[in-house]
Amino acid sequence: MFQGVGGEGSESGHLRAFPIPSLEPRAAVAREMLLAALEDLSQEQLKRFRHKLRDAPMDGRSIPWGRLERADAVDLTEQLTHFYGPEPALDVARKTLKKADVRDVAARLKAQRLHRLGSSSSALLSLSEYKKKYREHVLRQHAKVKERNARSVKINKRFTKLLIAPGGAALEDEALRPAEEPEPEPERARRSDTRTFNRLFRRDEEGQRPLTVVLQGPAGIGKTMAAKKILYDWAAGKLYQGQVDFAFFMPCGELLERPGTRSLADLILDQCSDRCAPVRQMLAQQQRLLFILDGADELPAPGSPEAEPCTDPFQAASGAQVLGGLLSKTLLPSALLLVTTRAAAPERLQGRLCSPQCAEVCGFSDKDKKKYFYKFFQDEWRAKRAYRFVKENETLFALCFVPFVCWIVCTVLRQQLQLGRDLSRTSKTTTSVYLLFIASVLGSAGADGTRVQEELRKLCRLAREGVLRHQAQFTEQDLERLQLRGSKVQTPFLNKKELPGVLETEVTYQFIDQSFQEFLAALSYLLEDKGASGAPTGSVGTLLHKDAELRGHLALTTRFLFGLLSAERMRDIERHFGCVVTEHVKQEVLRWVQGQGCSRMTSDGKEEAEGLEDVVEPEEEEEEETNSGLELLYCLYETQEDAFVRQALLSLPELLLERVCFSRMDMGVLSYCVRCCPAGQALKLVSCRLVATQEKKKKSLMKRLQGGSRSTKKKLPVSLLRPLCEAMTDQQCGLSSLTLSHCKLPDPVCQDLSEAVRAAPALRELGLLHNQLSETGLRVLSEGLAWPQCRVQTLRVQLPGLQGALQYLVGLLQQSSTLTTLDLNGCQLSDPMVTYLCAVLQHPRCSLQTLSLASVELSEQSLQELRAVKTAKPDLVILHPALDSSLKPLEGFTSVL
C-alpha cells in the first residue's frame, strides 16, 4: 500500500513519499479500488447499497433499477464505471456507502483514493473552474466537422460566411404598413461574422433582449453549419461573453429518434467530458445558458400527446417533450434559445415560441461562393477553373447560393477534373444538380456499375420509407434488411453516427443531407417497378394527397418528384440506372395538379380588384395556403419543361400570391412559370415585398475616415421585379392581367414595370391598388402605358393621397390608343384635377370607353363638369352614383379606402 499524502495536482510543491506509478492507468486503479470496496460488503450491506444508489441520483441521473436489482459486486462495478466514469464512480460509491451506513468502508475507500489517485477530480471543481474545462471540451469536440462524404475538416478552414437577413415574420408585417406611414430604412443582410452572430441576441430600443432567436431558411442553406460555428466561436471566447456560461447543441432529429426517456440533465451530461459536471449549479443560473436547437421543425405538431412539454429538467421524458419544454419556455424559461428551422415549415413552431426574433439564412453571396470554391479545392488552378466554369453558367452559379448544392457541384467538378474530363455540363435546377452527383458516383463504379445501380435502388427505398415515416436516423438492422451494410453506396450517401448509450455505443446512419434523403425518396417512385416485391407501399397519388397543401415535411420530396418528370431527367435516369421509366407517374402528377383547379391559388370567392382595398392580417391557415401556392410554382419550375407547365397552369387561370417577401430565387421561379403561362392567365401579388434585402458591406478604413466630410448618396432599393418583367415580354407568355396590391413600388420597380408594359404581348389589364408610389414612379409608369406598342386596355388605380401625381395618368388618356377602361375607385380627385380630366376626356385622341369613379367623393361643380362630358360623348360610360342610377348612392359620397 502506498504511504504518504499529496494530491496529484498539488500546488504545495512538496514531493509525495510514494508517487503514483506513471504506467498504472488511472481508470484501472479506480475500478480496482471500487471492486475491492464493494467485495468487502456483506449481502445485507450490498442490498442496502443498491437501494440507496437507486434512491439518491447524482445530478438527476441514476442507473435504472432493472440493472441494479440483482447485481453483485462485479456487476455494480461495471455499471458504476460505465454510467459515471471510473473516477467519478468512486465519489458516487463513497457517498452511497455513507448513506447505506457502511461508513468504515467509505472511509477506507476515501483514504485509498487519496493515496493512489490524489485529490484532483472534476467532481471537486467549482462552477467557475468547470466553465473553462467545458469550453476546452467543446473546442476539442467541434474543432472539426464531417463533410457529407464523412471527411473531417477544420470548421475554421471550411466555414464560409453566409448572408443573414433580419426579419422573417417582421418583414411580412412591414409589407402591410399603412400607406401614410413613412417607409423605414430597410436593414440589410449581413455576412455571418462574429459581429453578426453577436447581433442575434442584441437588445431592442427598449433594452429588452430576445430569449429566442429563430434562424430559418430552405434545406441545405447552411443553418446547421452556422449553428455549429456559433457554438465553436462561443467556446473560443468570441461570442456572448459575459452573457452565456454554457452552450449546448441539441440536434432535434437525433434526439427525437432516440429510444426511451431522458431528462434535460441527461442531455446536458451527454455533452460534457465526464459524468460529474455540476449540472445542478448550471441549471440554477438558467439565464446564462444557451441551447441551440437544430432542426426544430422535426418536432411533432403542438397538441399531439407526444408533444406535451416537459417542465422539470430532471424529469425523464421523451425527446419531443424535453425539446418542446425548451421551445415553449415551460422548461428553463430564462434560458436563451437559438432555433434553426426550414423556412417552408415555420407553422410547426407557431404557438410554441415566446416572442421570437427571426432571421433568415440567405446562403452565399457571390463573393462567398468564390471563397467556398477556393477553400474546397485547396488547389488554386483547379479552384480557378471550376469557379470560372460555374460563373459562366448563369443558372448553375445562381443555384450555388445554397451551400449543400455548392458542395455537390464542387464534388462533381473535382471528380471530373481528376479524371481529365471536360466541364461542359449544364444544370438548371436543384434536381438536375443532385442527379449529376448520382451520375458521378455511378460513373466511378466501373465494372461494379450494375451492382451499384441495384444498391442505389435499395437506398432510394430506404430514403422513401424514412421520409414517409418522418425518420432520418437508421439502424444497422435497417441497412442489413435491405442488404446495404458495407455496400458501395453506404460511404458516399450515408453518414455513420455513434451516439452514447447507457451500456454501449448506439450506431446510427443518416443521409449526407436531409434534402438528399428527400431527393432519393422522390427518385424511388421512378425507379420502382410496378408491383415489385418489397417495394414501399403507396403510389405517387398517396404521396401527393398526404401533403395536399405542399407545406408539410413531404413538400421537398414532392418538388424533387416534379423535377424528375421532365423528359430530359427521365432520359438521364434511364441511362444511369439502365431501366425504362414509364409515363404513368408523370400523368398521375399532372392529373393531381389539374385536380387542384382554382382552389389553391385563386381568391376563391373573394371580390375582384374593388374588394382588395381592405387587406387584413391573414390567419395562420391563410398564410400557409398562400405559401403552398408559391411551393406549387417551385414544383412546376423544377420540371423545366415548358409544355408540362403550360398544361398544368391551364387549370389555374388566376394565380394569387399574398404576403411573400420575394427572394431572387422566388422571383426566378415565378418568372419562369409566367413565361410559360397560357393565354388568359391572371397574376395577383398582394402585400408582397418586391425589393431585395441588400448585403451590409463594411467600409474600408479610408472611407470611414472620410465619412464625416463627404456626403453619401442614399442607395435606391434593388428591384426584384426585372425577371418577371422580362418574362412578361416573352412572345410565349400568355399573361393577360397583372394586379399589384398593397405592395411597395419604389422607383426601380416602377421602371421595370414600365418597360414590361411597353412590350408585353398579351397583357390587357393592369391593377395598381394601394401601393406606395412616388410621383416620379407614377410618371415613369405612365410613360410606359402611353407607349405606342403598349396593349393594356384596362387600368385600375387606387392611390389615396397621391392626387397631384394623377395628372400623369390622366394625361396618358390622350396618348394611348388602346386604353379603353380606367378605374379610379379609391382615388381622391380635387376640383382642378376633375376639370383637367374632363378636358382630356373630350380630346379627339382620347379613346376611353369606361371611366369608373364609383367610390370617389366629388363636389357638385365636378359632377356638373362630368355631366357635360357625358352629353358631349354619349358613348362614354362614367360610373358614379350621382351620374348612374344603376349604382347605389353612397352615403355622403365617402371614399372606400
Side-chain angles (χ1 to χ4, degrees):
M1 177 179 288
F2 292 111
Q3 298 175 8
V5 295
E8 184 185 47
S10 173
E11 297 177 1
S12 64
H14 299 293
L15 298 175
R16 297 194 195 104
F18 295 94
I20 298 172
S22 60
L23 296 178
E24 190 173 21
R26 295 178 64 88
V29 173
R31 286 193 186 92
E32 178 189 330
M33 289 190 295
L34 181 58
L35 179 60
L38 295 178
E39 286 180 335
D40 282 348
L41 303 181
S42 67
Q43 288 299 317
E44 183 60 32
Q45 289 173 329
L46 198 63
K47 181 179 179 181
R48 283 206 309 274
F49 178 87
R50 289 195 298 260
H51 280 278
K52 294 298 181 182
L53 187 62
R54 177 193 65 178
D55 296 337
M58 179 178 177
D59 281 323
R61 293 173 57 81
S62 60
I63 301 171
W65 176 244
R67 295 172 186 169
L68 297 175
E69 190 174 7
R70 293 183 173 82
D72 58 16
V74 175
D75 292 335
L76 282 171
T77 300
E78 287 302 313
Q79 294 283 358
L80 282 163
T81 55
H82 183 86
F83 199 78
Y84 295 109
E87 291 187 60
L90 292 175
D91 295 322
V92 175
R94 182 175 56 81
K95 292 176 183 177
T96 309
L97 286 167
K98 290 173 70 175
K99 291 174 182 176
D101 202 24
V102 194
R103 296 181 179 275
D104 55 337
V105 178
R108 282 202 305 273
L109 182 60
K110 180 179 180 181
Q112 288 179 1
R113 182 214 172 101
L114 188 64
H115 292 164
R116 301 185 67 182
L117 295 178
S119 61
S120 68
S121 167
S122 59
L124 304 178
L125 289 175
S126 67
L127 186 65
S128 59
E129 290 173 318
Y130 195 77
K131 291 176 192 175
K132 182 180 178 182
K133 179 174 181 176
Y134 179 73
R135 283 180 184 270
E136 291 170 350
H137 173 67
V138 171
L139 284 175
R140 287 193 302 271
Q141 291 293 107
H142 296 276
K144 289 187 175 182
V145 291
K146 278 191 176 182
E147 287 203 318
R148 273 89 178 185
N149 55 6
R151 185 179 65 169
S152 291
V153 293
K154 289 184 178 179
I155 191 169
N156 275 337
K157 285 191 174 181
R158 178 46 54 87
F159 179 76
T160 304
K161 293 177 181 178
L162 303 161
L163 288 178
I164 297 181
L171 291 179
E172 294 181 358
D173 293 340
E174 195 177 309
L176 296 178
R177 189 182 300 277
E180 61 270 14
E181 287 190 24
E183 183 177 348
E185 177 72 22
E187 193 164 356
R188 295 173 179 172
R190 299 171 183 269
R191 298 174 75 228
S192 54
D193 54 14
T194 303
R195 185 165 178 263
T196 303
F197 286 145
N198 265 318
R199 288 167 63 93
L200 292 176
F201 287 99
R202 65 177 176 176
R203 297 183 183 276
D204 58 20
E205 295 82 1
E206 299 175 357
Q208 297 297 316
R209 184 178 63 178
L211 295 180
T212 302
V213 172
V214 178
L215 283 181
Q216 60 185 36
I221 200 71
K223 301 182 295 296
T224 298
M225 180 65 88
K228 288 183 176 179
K229 186 65 164 60
I230 288 172
L231 178 69
Y232 184 82
D233 283 353
W234 165 80
K238 297 179 181 179
L239 292 178
Y240 315 133
Q241 294 308 295
Q243 302 177 48
V244 175
D245 290 340
F246 296 93
F248 307 102
F249 188 83
M250 302 285 184
C252 295
E254 291 180 16
L255 298 180
L256 290 172
E257 293 184 19
R258 281 194 194 180
T261 58
R262 301 169 80 82
S263 67
L264 178 61
D266 291 328
L267 299 181
I268 289 174
L269 282 170
D270 284 346
Q271 299 197 31
C272 297
S273 56
D274 52 56
R275 299 290 184 179
C276 274
V279 177
R280 288 192 182 275
Q281 294 98 307
M282 292 180 190
L283 294 175
Q285 300 185 48
Q286 56 178 273
Q287 72 278 5
R288 302 188 66 81
L289 302 180
L290 169 64
F291 292 91
I292 301 173
L293 274 57
D294 184 45
D297 46 277
E298 294 291 317
L299 286 167
S304 54
E306 67 271 22
E308 186 66 28
C310 181
T311 57
D312 181 357
F314 296 102
Q315 173 192 346
S318 68
Q321 291 174 312
V322 174
L323 295 172
L326 285 172
L327 276 175
S328 62
K329 293 293 184 182
T330 60
L331 195 57
L332 306 185
S334 302
L336 298 178
L337 293 184
L338 179 67
V339 181
T340 74
T341 177
R342 287 190 180 185
E347 65 273 5
R348 297 188 73 86
L349 299 181
Q350 288 174 4
R352 289 178 186 261
L353 299 174
C354 299
S355 303
Q357 174 68 42
C358 295
E360 184 176 3
V361 182
C362 304
F364 291 149
S365 66
D366 288 352
K367 180 169 71 172
D368 291 325
K369 291 174 191 175
K370 185 175 183 178
K371 286 187 175 183
Y372 184 90
F373 270 74
Y374 278 78
K375 285 183 178 182
F376 183 93
F377 283 94
Q378 298 181 345
D379 176 277
E380 188 172 354
W381 180 83
R382 286 181 174 172
K384 189 175 182 179
R385 190 175 172 193
Y387 179 75
R388 186 171 61 242
F389 162 73
V390 174
K391 185 74 183 289
E392 291 170 356
N393 185 329
E394 186 178 340
T395 307
L396 189 58
F397 185 70
L399 284 174
C400 283
F401 83 95
V402 178
F404 181 61
V405 175
C406 205
W407 176 81
I408 284 185
V409 170
C410 288
T411 302
V412 172
L413 295 182
R414 180 174 61 188
Q415 184 186 56
Q416 289 181 291
L417 286 170
Q418 287 171 346
L419 296 174
R421 292 178 182 170
D422 185 15
L423 300 183
S424 57
R425 292 192 177 204
T426 57
S427 299
K428 290 188 175 181
T429 63
T430 312
T431 305
S432 57
V433 171
Y434 283 23
L435 198 57
L436 194 63
F437 181 63
I438 294 267
S440 72
V441 173
L442 286 169
S444 61
D448 294 330
T450 303
R451 191 181 79 186
V452 174
Q453 285 177 353
E454 184 55 35
E455 289 174 349
L456 266 172
R457 286 172 182 264
K458 294 175 180 176
L459 190 71
C460 290
R461 188 178 304 168
L462 181 70
R464 179 171 162 185
E465 289 175 356
V467 165
L468 293 176
R469 295 171 186 167
H470 216 142
Q471 176 186 359
Q473 305 287 322
F474 301 92
T475 65
E476 293 185 313
Q477 290 74 23
D478 291 326
L479 268 62
E480 287 171 355
R481 175 172 53 85
L482 292 172
Q483 299 176 324
L484 288 171
R485 184 101 183 273
S487 66
K488 293 216 168 192
V489 299
Q490 180 178 320
T491 301
F493 296 115
L494 294 173
N495 284 337
K496 183 178 179 180
K497 290 205 169 189
E498 296 183 354
L499 304 175
V502 176
L503 289 179
E504 59 183 18
T505 301
E506 299 173 13
V507 178
T508 64
Y509 298 85
Q510 68 180 56
F511 286 86
I512 54 177
D513 189 85
Q514 188 177 346
S515 64
F516 205 79
Q517 178 183 349
E518 290 160 302
F519 168 75
L520 292 175
L523 183 58
S524 72
Y525 287 99
L526 280 81
L527 296 180
E528 176 188 306
D529 295 327
K530 242 184 173 179
S533 59
T537 57
S539 63
V540 172
T542 306
L543 168 71
L544 295 173
H545 290 294
K546 269 190 176 184
D547 198 30
E549 296 302 323
L550 290 177
R551 62 173 182 261
H553 77 284
L554 299 175
L556 194 56
T557 305
T558 306
R559 189 189 297 185
F560 282 130
L561 177 63
F562 274 75
L564 291 167
L565 293 178
S566 74
E568 187 178 352
R569 296 288 83 77
M570 290 170 76
R571 285 194 297 270
D572 289 341
I573 293 169
E574 291 177 5
R575 183 171 70 254
H576 297 316
F577 288 90
C579 65
V580 177
V581 180
T582 62
E583 284 279 331
H584 80 275
V585 175
K586 189 171 186 175
Q587 294 306 314
E588 191 170 358
V589 170
L590 181 60
R591 283 195 299 272
W592 176 79
V593 177
Q594 292 171 337
Q596 301 303 296
C598 302
S599 61
R600 179 183 299 280
M601 303 183 67
T602 63
S603 53
D604 198 14
K606 293 180 184 177
E607 294 179 11
E608 293 301 316
E610 293 87 351
L612 285 170
E613 57 267 18
D614 294 316
V615 177
V616 296
E617 190 81 19
E619 299 293 331
E620 279 183 21
E621 293 78 11
E622 291 175 347
E623 185 173 347
E624 292 171 15
E625 183 177 346
T626 55
N627 286 340
S628 70
L630 182 60
E631 181 59 36
L632 181 57
L633 295 185
Y634 263 96
C635 290
L636 296 175
Y637 169 82
E638 204 68 25
T639 67
Q640 288 295 302
E641 191 168 286
D642 297 3
F644 180 89
V645 175
R646 190 170 290 109
Q647 196 172 357
L649 289 176
L650 279 171
S651 61
L652 301 166
E654 184 182 79
L655 311 181
L656 170 65
L657 295 175
E658 293 185 78
R659 295 173 57 83
V660 177
C661 296
F662 279 101
S663 66
R664 294 184 189 277
M665 193 67 198
D666 294 337
M667 190 56 72
V669 167
L670 175 61
S671 302
Y672 170 76
C673 293
V674 166
R675 193 184 300 273
C676 299
C677 69
Q681 191 90 47
L683 172 64
K684 290 183 180 179
L685 304 181
V686 180
S687 299
C688 294
R689 168 161 284 190
L690 304 175
V691 293
T693 303
Q694 298 181 46
E695 178 183 351
K696 181 76 172 178
K697 295 182 180 178
K698 289 183 179 177
K699 292 182 180 178
S700 65
L701 177 60
M702 185 60 67
K703 285 185 178 179
R704 291 201 298 272
L705 292 173
Q706 294 171 348
S709 58
R710 293 190 183 181
S711 60
T712 55
K713 235 181 172 182
K714 184 180 176 182
K715 284 189 176 180
L716 289 172
V718 178
S719 168
L720 289 173
L721 210 62
R722 179 166 291 276
L724 178 64
C725 293
E726 290 175 352
M728 289 165 55
T729 61
D730 190 282
Q731 293 304 307
Q732 302 302 314
C733 174
L735 187 71
S736 64
S737 174
L738 173 65
T739 300
L740 303 176
S741 175
H742 289 79
C743 299
K744 290 176 181 161
L745 301 182
D747 295 347
V749 175
C750 293
Q751 182 63 51
D752 290 339
L753 193 58
S754 177
E755 293 175 8
V757 298
R758 299 180 189 203
L763 192 66
R764 298 293 182 268
E765 181 176 337
L766 177 64
L768 303 171
L769 314 178
H770 290 261
N771 297 290
Q772 294 183 17
L773 279 166
S774 69
E775 185 170 332
T776 302
L778 195 58
R779 176 177 56 78
V780 169
L781 266 173
S782 300
E783 290 172 358
L785 290 164
W787 201 256
Q789 285 76 35
C790 177
R791 294 176 172 83
V792 174
Q793 298 172 354
T794 300
L795 177 62
R796 302 182 188 278
V797 180
Q798 292 177 6
L799 296 172
L802 199 61
Q803 53 180 319
L806 288 175
Q807 59 180 316
Y808 300 116
L809 286 179
V810 174
L812 76 86
L813 295 178
Q814 62 189 25
Q815 303 174 48
S816 172
S817 59
T818 56
L819 192 64
T820 59
T821 300
L822 178 62
D823 184 347
L824 296 178
N825 284 317
C827 293
Q828 296 172 0
L829 299 180
S830 63
D831 288 349
M833 181 59 64
V834 175
T835 301
Y836 176 52
L837 173 61
C838 291
V840 171
L841 289 173
Q842 297 185 70
H843 194 280
R845 292 177 58 186
C846 177
S847 55
L848 197 69
Q849 298 174 11
T850 302
L851 173 65
S852 180
L853 304 171
S855 58
V856 178
E857 182 179 358
L858 296 173
S859 67
E860 186 57 38
Q861 176 189 336
S862 296
L863 290 172
Q864 290 295 339
E865 292 177 356
L866 287 168
R867 290 189 184 101
V869 172
K870 280 182 68 87
T871 302
K873 297 186 75 171
D875 293 336
L876 175 63
V877 177
I878 303 178
L879 301 176
H880 189 274
L883 302 173
D884 188 344
S885 59
S886 64
L887 292 177
K888 183 180 179 181
L890 297 174
E891 186 177 347
F893 296 116
T894 55
S895 301
V896 178
L897 301 178

